[in-house]
Amino acid sequence: MTAPLHFHTIAELAPLVAARRISSEDLTRACLSEIDAHDRALNAFITVLRASAVAQARELDAELAAGRHRGPLHGIPVSLKDLIDQRGVPTTAASRVREGHVAAHDAPVTARLRAAGAVFIGKTNLHEFAFGTTSDDTAFGAVRNPHDPSRSPGGSSGGSAVAIVTGMSVASIGTDTGGSIRIPSAACGTVGLKPAWGEVPCDGVVPLSRSLDHVGPMTRSVADAWLLYLVLRGDATAARWPLPARRSVRDLRLGVPRAYFHDVLDDDVRACVAASLAWLRQAGARTVDVAIPHAGGAAAVYLHTSLPEAAAYHAGWLESAPDRYTRNVRLRLELGRYVLAEDYVRAEAARAVLRREVDAALDGCDALVLPTLPIPAPPIGAATVDVAGAAQPVRAMMLRLTQLFNLTGHPAISIPIGDTAAGLPCGLQLVGRRDDTEALLAAAAACEPVVIS
Amino acid sequence: MNIEDWLANACADAERRGLADLKPLLESLAESTRSLRGAGWDDAGCPPAGQAAEATPAPPPDGAPR
């Protein structure tokens, strides 16, 4: 280990904490020092829990000294996206609409992390109510990408990704309704897992679109994502090292959907993805071309599902406190009130078709492999970006390759695959069978060392 | 409802509510609605399964999205 300890993975840190070679308090204080040094510029956190995090770390250190070890998360500093309830702490959703709110209870996912020994270091900044992909429409100031602070970290879980990259927390918990875990993971160079729909409870998490919402881990490695997934899923007994045996990349059959998914790609992203596929083949993975014929229709289906579901949740506040929203988020929520019920139902029927098409593409494959984001992190505030010589809308580009799998509920993970010439990270997305997030994690763990350059 | 009629009504309503800024978003939504309605969401569009799909029938309808 050459980097400071708080930049290492849970897999590396857990045995050191368990053996009391490092203390949770020292690890926690190191993360707090990074927050003090960098967060004024990056805006990754809305609430920093300095005193309670140190107190929690001390208690966990004392437990270890007394011979009680809760498992690999024992004493590890973790941040929560500020949509997720932690008892006694505000859940702002990055909005003035929620001013004065303090959570009375832990969300189930928070309670599971607490029981596993996580130290809660703070609540991370996000796109207001998770209703956006750039983390700049927020009541707490735009989140900035540590690789280039003039650029977005992606979103909506932008603060979570920034916290991991900068050593402000070892891991984070995000939410993903159209890509909000995977998008910032790709834009910042971290790992982000959207589990299969319904596996991880969303109770105690401010909803965006209930039929599309997912909670999942954002980490520095696939193994760490796997561990946190087991904890979030409530499978505490399984959350033990070593994790299940990794598969060999030589055993993998990977489906590559090209039509639509490779049609509009930044040149550097295209090169990174092509190199990753080549390395995977060179390492022995078999790749086969597959098709998802209606993928190009996913954006319309997503819009007619997410907009009315979000508007339904926000209807009361849109009447009573409309001026407390940021302008763009308020307008998009209002837009949802105009979607016709007949089109929402059409979108539901279309989701069933998309689900079958993704299932069919996965038939005989361990995972689908495709880019996570078609572009690198965009400049903050940009409405359009140039992609291969044509102006493209940022919002549509950010969601283009991820939203399909929220509509279908398939598990999906983004892993880093290197940088553009300008030093901006790119991500590779792997999509697994609907009922088997662990098989996806096994495939991703096999691919990870091959594609990380 | 016909999309043109819906758009005209929605724009008028937004204006009445002091939300004239919604008009371009409503126009984009109308485009998306045309796309949704015109995409041909039928089972004939279901793809062959992976590389070896020729003999694989389309899976049965799945009414439970989650």
Side-chain angles (χ1 to χ4, degrees):
Chain A
M1 295 188 194
T2 51
L5 281 171
H6 56 291
F7 282 89
H8 287 274
T9 63
I10 301 172
E12 292 163 336
L13 293 169
L16 301 179
V17 173
R20 299 176 63 203
R21 289 175 55 197
I22 58 172
S23 71
S24 174
E25 182 177 349
D26 286 348
L27 205 50
T28 300
R29 287 191 185 280
C31 291
L32 289 169
S33 294
E34 295 294 346
I35 293 172
D36 290 340
H38 301 298
D39 201 40
R40 188 164 298 179
L42 298 175
N43 266 329
F45 280 83
I46 290 173
T47 303
V48 180
L49 300 168
R50 292 171 203 288
S52 66
V54 171
Q56 207 187 349
R58 281 182 180 155
E59 285 173 21
L60 289 160
D61 285 336
E63 275 189 14
L64 273 178
R68 183 183 178 202
H69 180 237
R70 298 186 185 212
L73 257 193
H74 192 121
I76 302 295
V78 171
S79 54
L80 301 178
K81 184 180 186 179
D82 202 12
L83 279 182
I84 302 170
D85 280 350
Q86 178 183 347
R87 68 171 184 247
V89 178
T91 308
T92 69
S95 181
R96 291 178 54 231
V97 171
R98 303 265 302 182
E99 256 174 22
H101 171 274
V102 176
H105 307 284
D106 280 347
V109 290
T110 310
R112 289 170 184 177
L113 291 163
R114 191 187 294 281
V119 171
F120 298 116
I121 199 146
K123 308 289 291 291
T124 54
N125 202 352
L126 62 146
H127 209 109
E128 184 180 30
F129 283 108
F131 204 19
T133 55
T134 43
S135 304
D136 49 359
D137 289 320
T138 147
F140 297 89
V143 188
R144 295 181 177 275
N145 193 316
H147 299 280
D148 176 352
S150 73
R151 291 178 180 266
S152 163
S156 61
S157 311
S160 290
V162 173
I164 297 166
V165 171
T166 55
M168 298 179 188
S169 68
V170 176
S172 194
I173 307 303
T175 65
D176 189 316
T177 302
S180 285
I181 286 174
R182 292 160 286 158
I183 291 167
S185 294
C188 292
T190 62
V191 171
L193 170 70
K194 179 193 83 66
W197 195 91
E199 281 189 298
V200 174
C202 292
D203 313 275
V205 180
V206 179
L208 173 56
S209 173
R210 290 184 193 273
S211 77
L212 302 171
D213 290 344
H214 301 66
V215 176
M218 299 169 72
T219 58
R220 296 177 180 145
S221 72
V222 174
D224 285 6
W226 198 332
L227 169 74
L228 279 168
Y229 159 73
L230 293 172
V231 171
L232 295 175
R233 197 179 69 177
D235 200 349
T237 55
R240 294 281 182 274
W241 302 116
L243 290 165
R246 292 182 180 196
R247 296 187 60 176
S248 163
V249 75
R250 285 188 298 276
D251 297 334
L252 294 181
R253 181 178 160 103
L254 302 171
V256 182
R258 292 188 188 277
Y260 176 77
F261 298 97
H262 285 237
D263 289 351
V264 183
L265 290 181
D266 170 88
D267 290 342
D268 282 2
V269 172
R270 186 184 298 280
C272 278
V273 171
S276 296
L277 289 171
W279 290 331
L280 286 167
R281 280 190 290 269
Q282 196 175 2
R286 287 168 295 161
T287 61
V288 292
D289 285 351
V290 297
I292 303 172
H294 281 90
V301 179
Y302 181 78
L303 206 61
H304 288 81
T305 304
S306 61
L307 284 179
E309 290 190 0
Y313 177 73
H314 285 273
W317 286 322
L318 286 170
E319 294 300 321
S320 65
D323 296 333
R324 289 182 164 266
Y325 290 95
T326 60
R327 178 179 174 277
N328 291 335
V329 168
R330 179 193 172 194
L331 284 175
R332 282 211 304 284
L333 288 169
E334 285 286 356
L335 188 64
R337 305 176 98 180
Y338 290 92
V339 173
L340 294 175
E342 63 182 90
D343 291 317
Y344 179 77
V345 172
R346 285 188 179 101
E348 269 298 296
R351 287 175 72 174
V353 174
L354 288 168
R355 205 172 290 121
R356 287 197 294 275
E357 291 186 354
V358 176
D359 283 344
L362 276 160
D363 188 33
C365 292
D366 295 291
L368 305 181
V369 184
L370 59 151
T372 307
L373 269 177
I375 55 173
I380 290 174
T384 61
V385 285
D386 182 272
V387 182
Q392 300 283 353
V394 166
R395 182 174 165 78
M397 284 293 100
M398 299 295 267
L399 290 166
R400 180 178 169 88
L401 306 179
T402 52
Q403 61 197 346
L404 169 61
F405 308 107
N406 294 77
L407 291 168
T408 65
H410 290 79
I413 189 168
S414 181
I415 57 178
I417 53 170
D419 298 341
T420 66
L424 298 170
C426 300
L428 188 72
Q429 186 175 201
L430 285 86
V431 179
R433 286 186 295 278
R434 255 193 289 163
D435 58 352
D436 206 344
T437 300
E438 289 210 63
L440 170 67
L441 285 160
C447 293
E448 183 181 36
V450 177
V451 298
I452 290 182
S453 58
Chain B
M1 181 186 282
N2 167 305
I3 293 173
E4 285 66 38
D5 290 347
W6 166 81
L7 180 59
N9 290 337
C11 287
D13 184 67
E15 185 130 355
R16 180 185 62 73
R17 297 175 58 225
L19 293 169
D21 288 355
L22 261 185
K23 195 176 169 193
L25 298 183
L26 287 164
E27 287 166 349
S28 294
L29 178 58
E31 278 304 308
S32 177
T33 306
R34 282 188 196 98
S35 165
L36 175 71
R37 293 187 185 183
W41 297 101
D42 53 48
D43 286 344
C46 239
Q51 287 292 299
E54 298 78 22
T56 306
D62 178 359
R66 40 198 173 271

